[in-house]
């Protein structure tokens, strides 16, 4: 707010559209409060959601409830404009389909030196922003990924995960966002396809354009897969042990990156079959059980587990709206 000193660190969420999205934000904030009682939370939302929050008695959960303009109520509309939405000195932007599993203090300490970063890996796989089917074979044969990098003067392409973004430097954040927007405007010159072409997707993705922007600007990306210190890991039902309320969580993390990349396969038997075919690879069976800082329900076929938890927790919160 103008004239007021910003609080040092805080979490940032957005909420608009269907009521369940607001429910998910409140459930996510509730999970943060298991481990972090001190850092404030800001919410950028529609007028309807702001009214509903106060009506339900959850207004005190947020240090700030701020208007989110209509033009920013989309993935790209918000995440390509983050420099306009920095309520704290150091901001951690989170998706709402996440459950915190650990005390975040060490993670905030790790992020502190950076003006802008997000979780990702040094080199994106061939499916990143491309067809998620056998159609990828055409991209590989025609070397479309390599042609995109060459056309835009890049030597590598980060694989980023935009559900977890940290921003502290407004000017650097603006540069990243503007560069990402410029790349998105030239989508027809790349091998990337619109996310809206995928099943059950209605909003454009911001990730490949942010990945290209981070690569172009030579910025550090926090390791998405970082062993025991992983900031976030995907919820995969056959690789995740947890109790009913997710206060005890352990993810099976394969140390061989290729073996771990098979986690996206929907059917457990297929995952086991493929893993058995590659058993001869060095480290193919090496794994550790990791408690990530954040468990992310990003895979479409794994959303139901979060929905079941959110519905149950929401019913409890409505009965007693205290975090």
């Amino acid at each position: 707010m103008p004239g007021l000193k910003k609080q040092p660190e805080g979490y940032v969420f957005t909420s608009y559209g269907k009521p369940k999205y607001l429910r998910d934000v409140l459930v996510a904030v509730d999970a943060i409060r298991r481990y972090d009682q001190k850092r404030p939370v800001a919410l950028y939302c529609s007028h309807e959601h702001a009214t509903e929050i106060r009506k339900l008695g959850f207004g005190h959960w947020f240090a700030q409830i701020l208007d989110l303009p209509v033009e920013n109520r989309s993935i790209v509309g918000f995440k390509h404009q983050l420099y306009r939405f920095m309520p704290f000195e150091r901001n951690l932007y989170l998706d709402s389909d996440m459950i915190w599993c650990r005390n975040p203090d060490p993670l905030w300490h790790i992020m502190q030196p950076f003006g802008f970063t997000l979780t990702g890996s040094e080199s994106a796989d061939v499916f990143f922003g491309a067809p998620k089917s056998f159609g990828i074979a055409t991209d590989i044969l025609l070397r479309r990924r390599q042609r995109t990098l060459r056309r835009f003067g890049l030597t590598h392409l980060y694989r980023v995960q935009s559900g977890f973004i940290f921003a502290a430097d407004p000017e650097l954040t603006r540069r990243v966002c503007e560069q990402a927007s410029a790349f998105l405007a030239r989508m027809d010159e790349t091998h990337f396809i619109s996310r809206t072409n995928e099943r059950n997707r209605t909003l454009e993705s911001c990730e490949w354009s942010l990945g290209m922007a981070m690569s172009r600007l030579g910025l550090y990306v926090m390791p998405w897969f970082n062993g025991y210190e992983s900031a976030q890991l995907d919820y995969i039902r056959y690789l995740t042990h947890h109790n009913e309320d997710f206060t005890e969580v352990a993810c099976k993390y394969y140390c061989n990156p290729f073996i771990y990349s098979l986690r996206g396969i929907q059917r457990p038997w297929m995952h086991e079959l493929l893993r058995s075919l590659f058993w001869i690879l060095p480290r193919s069976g090496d794994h550790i059980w990791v408690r990530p800082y954040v468990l992310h329900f990003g895979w479409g076929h794994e959303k139901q587990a979060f929905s079941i938890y959110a519905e149950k927790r929401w019913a409890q919160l409505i009965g007693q709206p205290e975090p």
Side-chain angles (χ1 to χ4, degrees), residues 22-42:
L22 176 58
R23 177 206 70 181
D24 290 353
V25 167
L26 291 165
V27 168
V29 173
D30 170 68
I32 289 173
R33 289 297 180 235
R34 294 173 179 174
Y35 305 100
D36 189 349
Q37 295 285 336
K38 60 185 180 181
R39 292 183 182 88
V41 179

Side-chain angles (χ1 to χ4, degrees), residues 51-162:
T51 300
E52 187 66 14
I53 288 170
R54 295 185 174 98
K55 177 182 175 182
L56 292 169
F58 292 97
H60 63 288
W61 281 28
F62 301 93
Q64 300 179 53
I65 299 177
L66 303 161
D67 178 62
L68 183 64
V70 174
E71 60 268 24
N72 299 111
R73 295 177 192 174
S74 66
I75 295 173
V76 171
F78 184 72
K79 293 184 180 180
H80 278 186
Q81 300 285 325
L82 289 180
Y83 61 96
R84 301 180 186 274
F85 305 102
M86 300 181 69
F88 309 113
E89 292 181 7
R90 294 180 290 279
N91 304 270
L92 183 54
Y93 303 90
L94 299 169
D95 283 354
S96 59
D97 56 348
M98 292 177 156
I99 297 177
W100 281 80
C101 307
R102 292 172 58 183
N103 183 335
D105 286 352
L107 199 56
W108 280 97
H109 179 74
I110 291 169
M111 296 185 294
Q112 191 167 353
F114 303 104
F116 184 94
T117 191
L118 67 172
T119 51
S121 54
E122 292 179 347
S123 182
D125 59 55
V126 294
F127 294 100
F128 182 51
K132 306 296 192 293
S133 64
F134 288 110
I136 194 63
T138 302
D139 278 19
I140 294 173
L141 291 172
L142 297 179
R143 298 178 63 81
R144 286 175 174 164
R145 183 184 187 276
Q146 291 89 330
R147 287 160 59 188
T148 295
L149 296 185
R150 186 168 60 252
R151 180 174 294 123
F152 288 92
L154 301 176
T155 60
H156 77 295
L157 174 65
Y158 279 126
R159 167 64 169 104
V160 302
Q161 210 299 318
S162 65

Side-chain angles (χ1 to χ4, degrees), residues 230-280:
S230 296
Q232 61 164 320
L233 290 178
D234 295 312
Y235 174 84
I236 304 295
R237 63 190 183 281
Y238 55 82
L239 297 179
T240 308
H241 291 171
H242 61 90
N243 59 359
E244 189 175 20
D245 61 359
F246 290 93
T247 54
E248 298 178 13
V249 173
C251 298
K252 192 172 187 179
Y253 178 110
Y254 284 98
C255 303
N256 184 306
F258 173 74
I259 297 298
Y260 193 53
S261 72
L262 300 176
R263 72 193 183 284
I265 296 172
Q266 185 170 349
R267 302 187 184 281
W269 68 265
M270 179 64 74
H271 175 268
E272 284 301 313
L273 173 62
L274 290 176
R275 201 170 63 78
S276 66
L277 292 176
F278 295 105
W279 68 269
I280 198 169

